[in-house]
Amino acid sequence: MTFNTEQLPLQPAKSPHGFLQRLLTKGQVFPFTKANDTIALSLARETMPTQVKETEGNEKPSFWTEEILDSESLSGWSQLYFLVVGLAKVVLMFFLPVAYMLILLFLFFGSGGWREGLEDWSVIFYTVTIYFTLPCLLIWGHYKLVCKGYYFLAPFLKSKRVYSLNRQTGMVTLYKRGNKVRFTHPFIEFDCVLMSAPSPQGHLNYNLMLVHRYQPYSVGVPISNLIGTNERVVEYQRLWNMIQRYMDVSQPMPDLLVLEEARAKDPVTAAHDQQTVATRVTGEI
């Protein structure tokens, strides 16, 4: 069932649920409105023109198109891999240069002279090179090859699907382990709830979720992953407005750089853009 603010069916009242559902919805509820062209500035800043140009002609479609917003996240193995890569980079850039410098200093300026200490320090040099330098170089080289597009070298880096918002069907889908569907329901059946919790540093972290109004699910759809957890409340309001605008088939899609290529493929958006251009040309004349 597509989401169309020009033809919205009446929704039944929310039924009472258990403790987990009440806990999940304990937050500020953002109402449904007729969305305007306001966008989340933090999301707009994340996508640069150079990034869009780099993805042109890419076989893998964008995570956000005229049909679907498909959110993905790194798997547990991916997170471990990038942690290891980060440690290898730190070792190569800071610890190993210091280690080799100390070996040379002790070799030339040690009390026994470099001839007497050559054998002992060569063993240390060999140990550092074999057990630290070469493994770190291999890890870093593997990472650079993956960055250049050799993804077959890292099959464990496959992302996992989190949720999808389908503009064409009006459906919201949340996934679980193995990219299996946890649930799928029409967009209009969800409440948008902003939850907050203090961080260990005393700052408020926010989580904007779509919570199903009629089913007692213990989890929601975490749409705040588009902008993070440390933005101002007004940014989450803008994000909710933008999501409504995207899902509303009676309105053009949000004016985002990431959707620039998809705008011409959506009839409502394409008609809006043509009218805007015609109006500007008429005004200039």
Side-chain angles (χ1 to χ4, degrees), residues 45-86:
R45 287 192 297 264
E46 286 184 2
T47 306
M48 305 301 292
T50 53
Q51 294 175 318
V52 175
K53 190 172 183 179
E54 288 175 359
T55 57
E56 289 181 357
N58 198 331
E59 294 182 359
K60 185 178 180 181
S62 171
F63 78 99
W64 203 346
T65 67
E66 73 284 356
E67 180 180 354
I68 194 170
L69 164 57
D70 205 355
S71 175
E72 299 180 344
S73 69
L74 295 176
S75 64
W77 287 112
S78 300
Q79 296 174 13
L80 178 61
Y81 173 75
F82 287 117
L83 176 62
V84 172
V85 169

Side-chain angles (χ1 to χ4, degrees), residues 202-252:
H203 304 291
L204 278 180
N205 286 337
Y206 294 100
N207 189 9
L208 189 65
M209 293 189 298
L210 298 181
V211 181
H212 196 260
R213 192 177 304 117
Y214 309 117
Q215 296 293 332
Y217 298 123
S218 60
V219 292
V221 181
I223 59 175
S224 57
N225 68 345
L226 291 171
I227 62 174
T229 61
N230 303 115
E231 300 294 337
R232 297 178 299 164
V233 173
V234 67
E235 268 295 274
Y236 299 101
Q237 293 172 335
R238 292 169 180 161
L239 175 62
W240 173 231
N241 176 83
M242 192 175 62
I243 293 296
Q244 290 181 90
R245 181 69 174 251
Y246 174 73
M247 294 298 288
D248 188 357
V249 294
S250 69
Q251 295 197 85

Side-chain angles (χ1 to χ4, degrees), residues 42-224:
S42 54
L43 178 59
R45 287 192 297 264
E46 286 184 2
T47 306
M48 305 301 292
T50 53
Q51 294 175 318
V52 175
K53 190 172 183 179
E54 288 175 359
T55 57
E56 289 181 357
N58 198 331
E59 294 182 359
K60 185 178 180 181
S62 171
F63 78 99
W64 203 346
T65 67
E66 73 284 356
E67 180 180 354
I68 194 170
L69 164 57
D70 205 355
S71 175
E72 299 180 344
S73 69
L74 295 176
S75 64
W77 287 112
S78 300
Q79 296 174 13
L80 178 61
Y81 173 75
F82 287 117
L83 176 62
V84 172
V85 169
L87 291 175
K89 183 178 180 181
V90 171
V91 171
L92 286 171
M93 292 183 64
F94 299 102
F95 292 102
L96 286 177
V98 172
Y100 283 121
M101 187 177 296
L102 289 175
I103 291 173
L104 290 175
L105 287 175
F106 281 109
L107 181 62
F108 285 101
F109 301 104
S111 58
W114 73 274
R115 292 183 180 277
E116 295 183 7
L118 181 60
E119 183 177 351
D120 295 333
W121 287 106
S122 62
V123 173
I124 297 175
F125 179 87
Y126 175 83
T127 303
V128 170
T129 302
I130 294 298
Y131 295 103
F132 292 94
T133 305
L134 288 181
C136 288
L137 287 174
L138 287 174
I139 293 171
W140 186 248
H142 181 272
Y143 170 72
K144 298 303 288 186
L145 287 174
V146 171
C147 290
K148 288 185 177 295
Y150 298 97
Y151 299 116
F152 66 91
L153 295 174
F156 52 85
L157 291 181
K158 289 183 178 179
S159 59
K160 59 179 181 179
R161 300 183 76 179
V162 181
Y163 64 85
S164 63
L165 307 178
N166 195 306
R167 175 178 168 90
Q168 305 300 322
T169 64
M171 302 300 287
V172 176
T173 304
L174 183 68
Y175 298 93
K176 57 184 178 180
R177 183 175 297 180
N179 291 335
K180 296 180 180 179
V181 174
R182 184 185 294 271
F183 61 70
T184 181
H185 296 285
F187 178 67
I188 191 61
E189 294 184 1
F190 288 85
D191 291 322
C192 184
V193 183
L194 180 67
M195 303 185 68
S196 61
S199 67
Q201 292 76 29
H203 304 291
L204 278 180
N205 286 337
Y206 294 100
N207 189 9
L208 189 65
M209 293 189 298
L210 298 181
V211 181
H212 196 260
R213 192 177 304 117
Y214 309 117
Q215 296 293 332
Y217 298 123
S218 60
V219 292
V221 181
I223 59 175
S224 57

Side-chain angles (χ1 to χ4, degrees), residues 19-30:
F19 172 75
L20 287 177
Q21 179 74 358
R22 292 198 301 271
L23 184 64
L24 188 63
T25 56
K26 190 177 180 181
Q28 182 180 355
V29 179
F30 292 164

